[in-house]
Amino acid sequence: MFDRLEIRVLPPGPRFAAQLGLWVNGEDMIAGAVRDGGRGQFAADVLPVGRPSLLRATGEARRLELGEPECTGGCCGTLSVVVQRFGGIVQWSDWEVPCDVPHTPAPPPPEFHFDAGQYDAEVARAEADRRWQVPA
């Protein structure tokens, strides 16, 4: 059975621009691994206009930052994962999780395997949905 990805863009707030939210199998991946006060990457960075999303998976493995703690990633590290496509499967593996006080990282999430068709459709849907953008 494959895992299921859902991408949500959280609206901008008083301190931060719109942020990326990632749910896998109904669980908030960022809140689970980054803990209280953490946040996802800025939606504009992960879902840029006129370019493919950083979430797109290819045959080449690459590390993707997904979130950071309230103190910023420069202090305690970031939540990141290696994304790679293997034929009809997109794999998320080799997680790195930020530390918190007393500098103990949360347990890393498990490895996930997505059906490439569902994964690609969800990324394309998120790329096309620009309702979160604030007009200039």
Side-chain angles (χ1 to χ4, degrees):
M1 187 167 138
F2 287 112
D3 296 294
R4 186 159 186 85
L5 175 67
E6 182 183 352
I7 302 168
R8 300 180 194 169
V9 177
L10 308 175
R15 288 185 57 204
F16 296 111
Q19 300 169 34
L20 195 68
L22 299 166
W23 277 256
V24 176
N25 304 325
E27 292 189 33
D28 184 341
M29 294 308 308
I30 296 167
V34 178
R35 299 188 179 163
D36 291 340
R39 64 173 185 81
Q41 294 299 90
F42 293 128
D45 293 339
V46 182
L47 301 168
V49 175
R51 290 183 299 161
S53 168
L54 298 176
L55 289 167
R56 291 212 175 244
T58 68
E60 184 177 329
R62 63 186 165 71
R63 183 159 295 280
L64 177 61
E65 288 186 7
L66 301 177
E68 63 182 29
E70 186 174 26
C71 63
T72 76
C75 175
C76 295
T78 61
L79 173 65
S80 68
V81 67
V82 172
V83 178
Q84 186 171 12
R85 178 184 300 272
F86 297 96
I89 298 171
V90 174
Q91 177 181 286
W92 283 11
S93 62
D94 300 313
W95 290 90
E96 290 181 2
V97 294
C99 295
D100 71 350
V101 178
H103 298 294
T104 304
E111 192 168 278
F112 293 114
H113 298 93
F114 304 99
D115 172 79
Q118 185 272 326
Y119 185 94
D120 292 344
E122 180 62 4
V123 171
R125 183 201 61 75
E127 288 174 329
D129 184 355
R130 309 309 281 185
R131 290 178 290 179
W132 54 268
Q133 284 184 303
V134 177

